[in-house]
Amino acid sequence: KPEGETPAEISKERPWADLLMGIIHFEEGDMDAALASLLKAESYDPRLPDLHLRIGEVYLRQRHSDDAERAFLRALEIDGDSPAAHLGLAMVHLRKRRNEEAAEQALQAVGLQHFLPMGHFYLGVALARLGHRERSALAFETSLTMLPGLLAAHRWLAALYQQAGGNPEKAARHREIYLQMRRRREVKAQA
């Protein structure tokens, strides 16, 4: 132990170290180690900023939607104005096909932080599933103004604009952008 530090001072630093290790493991793709570090941090200090968001992200990656939902709800208990927690809940609800709830959470997220491309994207998915084609197209277009490389948004727009009463020119344009971007990614992956 460093000179002059008491065990209480050391234990106060430990949750941050475990949180950081959890983030590192997550970025390295080791979800089991990430979750172990994050849950250890939670045992020391359950109110660490962003801790429950990180736990929720791990559970999402592991496809444990119920656990992810609990983590994002816990994050909202700590910070009710967290756009990231609402965004996480939107994703959970989309996975569970609870589209109205997904749309509500995505709206909450973009209401708190407008520049949130994935919030607009998730809103678009939920609205498309609910049959609101024009509103979903607007949400996807908004996500693309913020994140032009969002491949899935181009794919959704191509499909939406191709539907009866849609816009075949826009459908063709988004399909072409999607195909070009996908080819580029495949070439990069092979290099």
Side-chain angles (χ1 to χ4, degrees):
K1 93 179 178 180
E3 185 68 27
E5 286 189 28
T6 67
E9 290 170 329
I10 293 169
S11 71
K12 286 180 184 174
E13 293 174 19
R14 179 126 185 109
W16 286 101
D18 291 323
L19 173 62
L20 292 173
M21 284 307 300
I23 293 168
I24 290 168
H25 290 307
F26 181 87
E27 294 301 325
E28 291 175 342
D30 187 347
M31 295 306 119
D32 292 334
L35 186 60
S37 292
L38 294 170
L39 293 177
K40 192 172 178 184
E42 181 185 30
S43 73
Y44 288 110
D45 185 356
R47 295 190 65 82
L48 277 174
D50 294 340
L51 172 65
H52 296 282
L53 296 174
R54 296 295 184 160
I55 292 171
E57 289 170 358
V58 171
Y59 282 134
L60 277 175
R61 185 77 60 89
Q62 293 178 324
R63 301 223 176 266
H64 297 159
S65 296
D66 291 338
D67 293 324
E69 184 173 14
R70 276 191 295 280
F72 291 126
L73 287 171
R74 180 72 176 110
L76 283 175
E77 287 173 14
I78 295 168
D79 177 7
D81 290 331
S82 169
H86 288 290
L87 187 65
L89 284 172
M91 189 170 193
V92 166
H93 294 316
L94 284 174
R95 286 193 177 171
K96 292 181 170 192
R97 297 279 185 191
R98 295 182 350 213
N99 298 311
E100 286 184 24
E101 292 172 68
E104 289 172 17
Q105 290 299 324
L107 278 170
Q108 285 277 353
V110 299
L112 290 165
Q113 180 181 333
H114 180 73
F115 192 88
L116 197 60
M118 294 309 295
H120 294 281
F121 176 78
Y122 295 150
L123 178 59
V125 172
L127 291 172
R129 289 179 180 174
L130 292 167
H132 302 290
R133 185 174 65 193
E134 291 176 17
R135 290 172 56 203
S136 67
L138 178 61
F140 289 127
E141 294 282 5
T142 302
S143 73
L144 287 172
T145 64
M146 299 173 188
L147 189 61
L150 187 51
L151 194 64
H154 288 290
R155 195 172 96 207
W156 271 97
L157 284 167
L160 286 171
Y161 287 135
Q162 190 60 47
Q163 293 176 4
N167 185 324
E169 291 169 8
K170 284 185 177 183
R173 189 184 77 209
H174 283 288
R175 189 172 13 273
E176 183 58 32
I177 293 169
Y178 167 76
L179 291 172
Q180 286 176 1
M181 290 173 65
R182 195 176 80 187
R183 275 186 236 120
R184 275 189 235 133
R185 287 185 184 179
E186 289 169 357
V187 168
K188 274 187 181 179
Q190 292 172 355

